[in-house]
């Protein structure tokens, strides 16, 4: 895991790229390669990526999302057993406008594992696209 953590750190802090190459891999190549299991595998990949990092606050998670180009992550509601986030970026709006088939399982898995570190509870995350509002809602449910 240490090697992955170092690689992630170098990529996140050292490389700036456009997102179209990422979108080709994410929304065309990976689903083609992974088939019907793509959503589950992407969710687990997101969890594994977060576990290779260390998070103490929601702000740190938001900074990570911004740095990797996933968008602006904002906590919009906190309940006893759930945190609701809004993930928003111009690219999410453009994907909706162009009709690009997307999912946010990677981000959901990442957020679930990051929140597990912060809350010290087991977490799962569900995502729901809000195309009319141009954002993705991420619901992190935690189990005590």
């Amino acid at each position: 895991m240490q090697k992955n953590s170092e690689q992630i750190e170098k990529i996140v802090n050292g490389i700036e790229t456009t997102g179209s190459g990422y979108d080709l891999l994410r929304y065309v190549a990976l689903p083609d390669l992974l088939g019907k299991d793509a959503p589950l595998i992407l969710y687990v990949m997101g969890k594994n990526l977060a576990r290779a990092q260390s998070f103490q606050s929601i702000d740190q998670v938001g900074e990570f999302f911004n740095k990797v180009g996933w968008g602006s992550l904002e906590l919009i509601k906190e309940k006893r057993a759930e945190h609701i986030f809004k993930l928003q970026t111009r690219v999410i709006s453009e994907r909706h406008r162009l009709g690009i088939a997307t999912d946010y399982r990677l981000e959901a898995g990442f957020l679930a594992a990051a929140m597990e570190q912060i809350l010290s509870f087991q977490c799962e995350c569900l995502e729901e696209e809000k195309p009319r509002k141009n954002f993705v809602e991420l619901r992190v449910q935690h189990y005590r």
Side-chain angles (χ1 to χ4, degrees), residues 5-18:
S5 179
E6 290 170 8
Q7 285 289 86
I8 293 168
E9 183 72 24
K10 288 176 186 176
I11 291 168
V12 169
N13 293 315
I15 298 176
E16 283 189 40
T17 63
T18 63

Side-chain angles (χ1 to χ4, degrees), residues 86-88 92 96 128-130 133-137:
K86 180 190 333 185
L87 178 62
Q88 192 169 25
I92 289 173
H96 288 302
E128 181 181 347
E129 293 184 62
K130 304 282 188 173
K133 297 180 182 177
N134 293 317
F135 70 89
V136 176
E137 185 177 273

Side-chain angles (χ1 to χ4, degrees), residues 4-86:
N4 284 347
S5 179
E6 290 170 8
Q7 285 289 86
I8 293 168
E9 183 72 24
K10 288 176 186 176
I11 291 168
V12 169
N13 293 315
I15 298 176
E16 283 189 40
T17 63
T18 63
S20 58
Y22 168 81
D23 280 357
L24 282 172
L25 288 172
R26 176 72 186 284
Y27 300 113
V28 179
L30 279 175
D32 184 51
L33 178 68
L34 302 173
K36 65 179 172 57
D37 295 325
L40 175 62
I41 293 170
L42 288 168
Y43 187 82
V44 171
M45 285 172 57
K47 280 194 144 190
N48 288 342
L49 284 171
R51 289 176 180 144
Q53 303 294 294
S54 178
F55 296 103
Q56 285 80 42
S57 72
I58 291 171
D59 288 340
Q60 287 178 321
V61 179
E63 288 173 26
F64 186 92
F65 270 64
N66 276 323
K67 283 183 178 181
V68 300
W70 289 347
S72 172
L73 185 68
E74 175 188 352
L75 178 63
I76 56 174
K77 190 180 260 186
E78 186 173 344
K79 298 180 180 180
R80 189 175 80 75
E82 182 177 61
H83 285 72
I84 303 172
F85 294 86
K86 180 190 333 185

